[in-house]
Amino acid sequence: MSHLKTAVWLATSACNLRCKHCYNSSAFQKKDELSTEEVKRLIIDELSKLKAESLTISGGEPLLRPDIIEIIKYAKSKNLKVHLLSNGTLLNEENVNQLKKYVDTVQISIEGLKNKHESIRGKGTFDKTIKGIKMLVKNKIYTILSNTPIGYDKNNLKDVINLAKKLKVQEITFRKFVALGRAKQNYQKEASNKEKIDFLETLMTYRKKEKSLKIGSGDPFFCFSYFLLQGSDKKIIDTSNMLGGCGAGIAAIAIDSGGNIMPCTRLPYNLGNIKQTMLSNVWIKSKELKRLRDRSRLKGRCGKCKLKNLCGGCRAKAYLNNKDMFGEDPECFLSTYKRITAYKLMKEGEVSLKKGKLKQGKEKMERGISILSETQVTDLDMLFIGLGYEKIRDFEKALLIYKALIRKIKAKDISLEYALKAMISRALGRKNKNKELFLNAKALFEKASKHSHLFKEKWLIAAKECGKLGEKHG
């Protein structure tokens, strides 16, 4: 059995704001929300029985519950750490004075500077939120700012980090955007994987640089990417006994305001209701949770990934994509990151080869080819792999790839077919130092240029180079 570290309780569906990206569509209190005694007996006592470490209280806006301080106080009496998540607008001297006696941390959502924040959370919210944060800091309550990077905007990242420093909070965390609830209605298009990688690399730069501010994220992408972007993935020899990244059902559980149990607040898969089934029984006996803890059950890219025990992908994203908790995370950008790295290495290798640094150029080109081969390889990727082999004079491998691509695309793209035939002739020309083969390649590239608007210039440049190679070997 996995050790339950934390439970997230959505204290209420009521909220004084109508944030555009709210995954819970929080607005009004539901009729069946748990009573004070039900929360104590069915959540807190059960967490104590399971020796859980903490209770995270979210919403809606938990400060709308008149019994929230009583519940927090009871959780502390059961030796649970208490983390409160709030929009910050309802904080006042009275409730802050109570909170500082009992809570371990308070997390406040911030979307950016005033215009950005209010474009998502509503007019007049920014100043109220900042006022609340200042009260928390003044009362020496450990304060965390939380940001959901909808567009993965690097400029906004800089703004919120600078704001966190200015406010003198202890920590800032970045949450994964999941298109549920109002978020699904208001945000149809998400950032590209490339934009997410750029954002993450910038985030890592700040993380290294900032000493007084803790910067991080509990999301899977951050957990495994920390190793990758540090270049330390080679040091990870065996992750088979590790379970990091996505903690849904492994280290964490969620309970909504009506008592429904879920693996995660963003994974709306109902495991039962605490009014009918004890939380401890679900945690120990649930077949679904046992399966979630077995990463060998993951499918697609996540199932094949060597880092699956370190990351696991976002199970909420997988479920949202095809109603399968064990499917691949559709937004995993490991493949994109590898592809960018691979092409960068191959380009550097090509530059080194042109400068006569043959050993260095070959090593970089081979490393780039190796990394690119680990991704979901497209026909275009295969073409560049073939070109890479040709440049390091591994003609046999280059020819195999070119011939395989011709068989695959024959009659579908006449321009590419001519270009591939030209590449075969050029590779054979290089292998045999044969003038006629270079001139044949030149003629084929010229034919390819006549049938392509997109690659016309590229094929003409290749034809010119083949002409020069022909003259050189004449």
Side-chain angles (χ1 to χ4, degrees):
M1 180 185 75
S2 290
H3 172 57
L4 178 61
K5 291 185 178 181
T6 189
V8 181
W9 169 48
L10 304 180
T12 180
S13 290
C15 189
N16 60 316
L17 304 184
R18 300 293 182 270
C19 303
K20 290 181 180 179
H21 63 349
C22 180
Y23 68 88
N24 201 32
S25 294
S26 298
F28 304 105
Q29 181 179 346
K30 293 180 180 178
K31 293 179 181 179
D32 61 349
E33 292 190 348
L34 300 172
S35 67
T36 308
E37 292 309 310
E38 284 174 327
V39 174
K40 290 179 179 180
R41 179 170 54 88
L42 301 177
I43 297 180
I44 296 171
D45 288 351
E46 286 289 286
L47 292 179
S48 179
K49 187 193 295 186
L50 288 164
K51 295 182 168 47
E53 297 173 14
S54 64
L55 172 64
T56 298
I57 303 175
S58 185
E61 173 49 58
L63 291 176
L64 285 172
R65 278 193 71 124
D67 59 355
I68 197 66
I69 300 298
E70 180 184 347
I71 288 169
I72 292 171
K73 185 177 178 180
Y74 185 76
K76 290 300 292 181
S77 75
K78 295 293 182 177
N79 296 316
L80 289 167
K81 290 182 179 179
V82 178
H83 308 292
L84 180 70
L85 277 56
S86 169
N87 61 45
T89 62
L90 299 180
L91 290 168
N92 54 47
E93 287 187 15
E94 184 181 352
N95 56 30
V96 168
N97 281 330
Q98 290 297 311
L99 289 172
K100 73 179 179 181
K101 296 177 187 177
Y102 306 113
V103 296
D104 292 273
T105 68
V106 177
Q107 179 176 296
I108 305 294
S109 299
I110 198 87
E111 308 308 335
L113 299 182
K114 188 168 185 174
N115 288 342
K116 177 74 171 180
H117 184 84
E118 295 192 351
S119 71
I120 294 170
R121 293 186 171 266
K123 192 173 181 181
T125 57
F126 183 78
D127 290 343
K128 289 179 183 178
T129 300
I130 297 301
K131 182 181 178 183
I133 293 168
K134 287 180 177 178
M135 277 194 281
L136 294 171
V137 173
K138 183 181 177 181
N139 281 274
K140 295 182 169 55
I141 297 172
Y142 191 101
T143 307
I144 305 167
L145 298 192
S146 174
N147 178 267
T148 304
I150 299 167
Y152 290 83
D153 182 347
K154 290 189 291 183
N155 292 325
N156 195 56
L157 169 65
K158 180 181 178 181
D159 288 340
V160 293
I161 288 176
N162 286 337
L163 180 61
K165 288 163 63 180
K166 182 180 178 182
L167 292 169
K168 296 181 180 179
V169 301
Q170 287 84 358
E171 188 175 340
I172 184 166
T173 186
F174 294 87
R175 304 281 294 167
K176 192 176 183 74
F177 174 75
V178 179
L180 288 170
R182 280 197 292 271
K184 187 176 181 180
Q185 300 167 17
N186 293 317
Y187 300 99
Q188 300 296 322
K189 186 180 178 182
E190 294 190 37
S192 69
N193 283 347
K194 175 67 168 62
E195 289 168 321
K196 291 174 186 175
I197 291 166
D198 288 345
F199 180 90
L200 179 60
E201 288 179 325
T202 307
L203 178 62
M204 292 302 300
T205 301
Y206 280 114
R207 191 180 190 274
K208 290 179 193 175
K209 186 173 68 174
E210 298 299 336
K211 303 299 180 186
S212 61
L213 178 67
K214 184 177 178 182
I215 301 172
S217 170
D219 293 327
F221 79 83
F222 190 89
C223 297
F224 74 74
S225 298
Y226 176 78
F227 290 92
L228 292 177
L229 295 177
Q230 295 297 310
S232 55
D233 53 323
K234 295 176 187 175
K235 298 175 186 176
I236 304 170
I237 298 169
D238 181 16
T239 63
S240 58
N241 293 316
M242 296 174 65
L243 272 181
C246 182
I250 296 170
I253 199 80
I255 305 103
D256 74 11
S257 61
N260 295 308
I261 307 166
M262 304 166 287
C264 165
T265 56
R266 289 167 169 79
L267 207 173
Y269 186 93
N270 197 330
L271 299 166
N273 190 290
I274 57 173
K275 294 176 184 178
Q276 285 85 43
T277 309
M278 300 303 284
L279 181 61
S280 54
N281 283 344
V282 172
W283 183 256
I284 296 166
K285 297 178 180 179
S286 168
K287 291 180 180 179
E288 289 86 354
L289 291 184
K290 286 178 180 178
R291 291 170 67 207
L292 266 178
R293 293 162 191 160
D294 180 4
R295 293 268 170 89
S296 69
R297 292 181 176 274
L298 298 183
K299 303 171 187 175
R301 284 179 294 181
C302 290
K304 296 173 185 175
C305 183
K306 65 180 180 181
L307 296 176
K308 65 184 176 186
N309 287 318
L310 184 64
C311 168
C314 177
R315 297 299 93 216
K317 282 285 189 181
Y319 187 73
L320 185 63
N321 187 50
N322 57 16
K323 299 299 179 186
D324 183 358
M325 287 192 292
F326 305 94
E328 65 178 45
D329 181 347
E331 290 189 0
C332 172
F333 51 74
L334 177 58
S335 182
T336 305
Y337 178 76
K338 283 185 173 182
R339 184 172 281 109
I340 291 169
T341 303
Y343 279 115
K344 184 180 178 183
L345 282 167
M346 289 167 74
K347 185 66 179 175
E348 289 173 356
E350 184 179 1
V351 170
S352 295
L353 289 170
K354 286 179 178 178
K355 289 181 178 179
K357 299 177 181 178
L358 303 183
K359 185 179 177 182
Q360 184 186 66
K362 186 178 179 183
E363 286 177 355
K364 286 192 173 184
M365 190 68 76
E366 286 177 337
R367 176 69 176 142
I369 289 170
S370 175
I371 293 172
L372 189 56
S373 299
E374 293 173 3
T375 67
Q376 286 187 310
V377 182
T378 65
D379 289 345
L380 189 60
D381 292 328
M382 286 304 299
L383 178 60
F384 278 101
I385 289 172
L387 290 169
Y389 279 129
E390 188 180 343
K391 282 165 186 171
I392 59 173
R393 304 189 68 78
D394 193 337
F395 300 118
E396 294 303 321
K397 287 181 181 176
L399 288 167
L400 282 172
I401 290 171
Y402 294 154
K403 289 173 183 178
L405 285 171
I406 280 182
R407 287 194 296 270
K408 192 171 182 182
I409 60 96
K410 198 166 186 179
K412 294 179 183 176
D413 187 332
I414 190 66
S415 172
L416 186 54
E417 187 177 343
Y418 276 130
L420 285 165
K421 286 178 179 178
M423 290 172 200
I424 290 171
S425 189
R426 182 183 61 194
L428 288 170
R430 281 174 167 156
K431 182 181 178 182
N432 300 306
K433 297 179 181 179
N434 185 293
K435 175 183 177 181
E436 294 304 318
L437 288 167
F438 284 127
L439 294 178
N440 182 54
K442 177 178 180 290
L444 287 167
F445 274 127
E446 287 171 346
K447 284 185 178 180
S449 71
K450 292 176 182 177
H451 293 275
S452 173
H453 176 71
L454 185 62
F455 295 108
K456 182 175 182 177
E457 290 303 316
K458 191 176 287 291
W459 300 148
L460 286 173
I461 290 169
K464 190 175 180 180
E465 288 175 349
C466 286
K468 289 180 180 179
L469 288 168
E471 290 173 9
K472 182 179 177 182
H473 293 90

